[in-house]
């Protein structure tokens, strides 16, 4: 799981997502995300590891996890190529066998 930056060229809308699924050890994206306006699917133009804002590490032991993610923001299952139309959402499971 990585953090991605998206840009819809048709609508000129930009968005970010903490639900970018890549081939392990690479930035090769498995699933596209859909623009909320025109429903065209896109890969992120930039991908980075989800890091702790306190210690700047990907996997940290900080008592308070300050990630580059807003945990209160709901995951848009209807715009996610991985869980669109599926029973379970990306934010509720981490295993492929429950999604596909």
């Amino acid at each position: 799981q990585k953090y991605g930056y998206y840009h819809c060229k048709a609508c000129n809308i930009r968005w970010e997502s903490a639900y970018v699924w890549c081939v392990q050890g690479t930035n090769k994206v498995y699933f596209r995300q859909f623009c909320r306006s025109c429903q065209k699917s896109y890969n992120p133009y930039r991908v980075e590891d989800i890091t702790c804002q306190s210690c700047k590490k990907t996997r940290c032991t900080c008592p308070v996890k300050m990630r580059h993610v807003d945990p209160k923001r709901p995951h848009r299952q209807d715009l996610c190529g991985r869980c669109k139309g599926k029973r379970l959402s990306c934010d509720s499971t981490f295993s492929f066998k429950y999604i596909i």
Side-chain angles (χ1 to χ4, degrees):
Q1 184 177 2
K2 301 221 178 185
Y3 196 87
Y5 298 85
Y6 293 83
H7 178 219
C8 175
K9 292 173 179 64
C11 303
N12 202 28
I13 292 174
R14 293 181 184 272
W15 71 94
E16 299 175 13
S17 176
Y19 294 95
V20 178
W21 304 98
C22 296
V23 176
Q24 188 172 1
T26 72
N27 284 342
K28 182 176 167 52
V29 178
Y30 264 125
F31 302 99
R32 294 174 161 236
Q33 289 194 6
F34 295 86
C35 171
R36 71 176 188 268
S37 181
C38 69
Q39 295 296 308
K40 289 184 181 178
S41 64
Y42 291 97
N43 279 326
Y45 64 85
R46 189 171 118 213
V47 174
E48 62 187 37
D49 290 332
I50 298 174
T51 57
C52 174
Q53 292 301 294
S54 299
C55 68
K56 305 296 184 201
K57 293 181 182 175
T58 305
R59 290 185 167 85
C60 71
T61 56
C62 296
V64 178
K65 305 277 187 200
M66 292 182 61
R67 301 282 183 193
H68 189 42
V69 176
D70 181 0
K72 293 184 178 84
R73 190 170 189 166
H75 178 53
R76 292 286 307 266
Q77 191 171 351
D78 60 319
L79 301 176
C80 176
R82 183 179 185 206
C83 62
K84 186 174 186 171
K86 304 286 191 279
R87 188 171 45 90
L88 294 175
S89 172
C90 288
D91 61 351
S92 63
T93 183
F94 291 100
S95 175
F96 265 116
K97 65 182 179 182
Y98 297 115
I99 298 297
I100 294 177

